[in-house]
Amino acid sequence: MNRARTRLGALPMMCAAALMLAACQGAESEPAESQSAGPSGTSPSASASAPTASSPESSPTQSTASPDAPSSAAPELSQVHEVHGIRFFTPEQWTATGDDCDGECTEWDEWEIKDAQGKHVLTLIPTTATSPDGDMALYERELLDRKELENPGADTGFHPTSLIAEFWESTDQKDGEKDSGFDIALIDDEELAKRDENPDLNFFKVGEQSPMMWVEEDYLEDHGVPDDPTKQQAQQFLGTGQYALVRDILLSVEPAVG
């Protein structure tokens, strides 16, 4: 057999086979393309890396408000309390209980504001002492946060009042002992402006009363601010949800309606 003729004769057959294979591949690629294209005609890689506006990855409501995801927002202040000339708001199931002194309160008649689990969070003294109670330490104070209350209560004797978060260091004048602390409380702006190096006494005014209202030290200790804290520990607490909550409660204080 002539080998040259055999090769020449096989060439048309090979070409035909190649054409048939190409046609088959082209026929197979058409449905694959139609399946991979999205409604907008994007390729599979494009649709995976750039979600459309209707996809779950790009929807802020679906990504941030999932019913199973924990919420970082502070609880709603939906419960009102009225105590000795002021009212304030807390989350549901919180309590405010204390000495019902019917307007004849002394400086140590305390009211305790507790959360739904019964944890003592804030304290209110309806009529505070007006002396430093022997506290003759020298103070160095730094306001880490300050916010004026929105409703100062015109014509009620409720002075313009601020929430303060204050880190302080003190030196005892007798023995030189050093101490530090962190207060979150309400204070009358007039008192805040004229405070000097002593004493450490935060109070505001409602009519003839001079109440004090502050966040309990035990509550702060439970959330990373120990007794004799550092400034860094106090600053770290300012970024927590616990601080956001007590801040909102204190800022809700206003003169009672009745």
Side-chain angles (χ1 to χ4, degrees):
M1 180 181 291
N2 191 322
R3 294 182 181 276
R5 290 185 60 184
T6 304
R7 295 192 190 98
L8 291 173
L11 182 60
M13 296 177 62
M14 292 172 63
C15 292
L19 291 172
M20 291 178 63
L21 178 61
C24 292
Q25 289 178 342
E28 290 176 356
S29 64
E30 290 178 1
E33 181 180 357
S34 64
Q35 290 175 4
S36 62
S40 59
T42 57
S43 66
S45 59
S47 62
S49 60
T52 63
S54 61
S55 67
E57 290 85 356
S58 65
S59 172
T61 56
Q62 293 183 15
S63 62
T64 61
S66 171
D68 296 329
S71 174
S72 59
E76 181 183 0
L77 305 185
S78 55
Q79 183 175 199
V80 62
H81 306 268
E82 291 197 7
V83 180
H84 300 293
I86 67 169
R87 72 172 182 172
F88 56 93
F89 295 81
T90 67
E92 287 293 331
Q93 299 181 351
W94 282 46
T95 60
T97 58
D99 301 309
D100 189 7
C101 41
D102 294 328
E104 300 295 329
C105 303
T106 68
E107 60 265 27
W108 304 120
D109 289 319
E110 293 188 0
W111 282 66
E112 297 181 352
I113 295 96
K114 297 181 179 180
D115 64 15
Q117 289 72 44
K119 178 66 180 177
H120 187 181
V121 181
L122 298 102
T123 296
L124 167 69
I125 295 179
T127 305
T128 185
T130 56
S131 72
D133 296 322
D135 182 3
M136 296 303 293
L138 301 177
Y139 287 86
E140 294 182 5
R141 302 181 173 96
E142 183 175 352
L143 288 178
L144 303 182
D145 187 23
R146 178 186 176 190
K147 173 70 175 178
E148 290 187 11
L149 274 66
E150 294 183 0
N151 182 6
D155 303 323
T156 64
F158 188 73
H159 287 197
T161 300
S162 289
L163 169 142
I164 62 170
E166 179 179 70
F167 176 75
W168 52 263
E169 294 177 316
S170 66
T171 304
D172 192 288
Q173 295 187 65
K174 294 181 180 179
D175 56 19
E177 182 179 352
K178 302 287 186 178
D179 197 7
S180 67
F182 179 52
D183 293 338
I184 304 171
L186 295 181
I187 186 168
D188 188 300
D189 287 354
E190 294 179 1
E191 295 298 322
L192 183 63
K194 69 183 183 182
R195 278 194 318 177
D196 55 15
E197 57 192 8
N198 56 284
D200 180 33
L201 192 63
N202 300 327
F203 61 92
F204 58 102
K205 294 184 177 72
V206 183
E208 299 299 321
Q209 297 186 98
S210 297
M212 290 181 70
M213 190 173 183
W214 70 92
V215 179
E216 274 294 308
E217 291 182 0
D218 288 347
Y219 182 77
L220 295 174
E221 289 184 12
D222 287 346
H223 297 288
V225 186
D227 185 33
D228 200 17
T230 65
K231 180 181 174 181
Q232 182 181 11
Q233 289 170 324
Q235 288 176 320
Q236 287 175 342
F237 182 75
L238 297 186
T240 66
Q242 288 79 22
Y243 177 65
L245 175 57
V246 295
R247 187 180 192 270
D248 287 349
I249 293 173
L250 288 170
L251 288 175
S252 74
V253 172
E254 59 187 12
V257 177

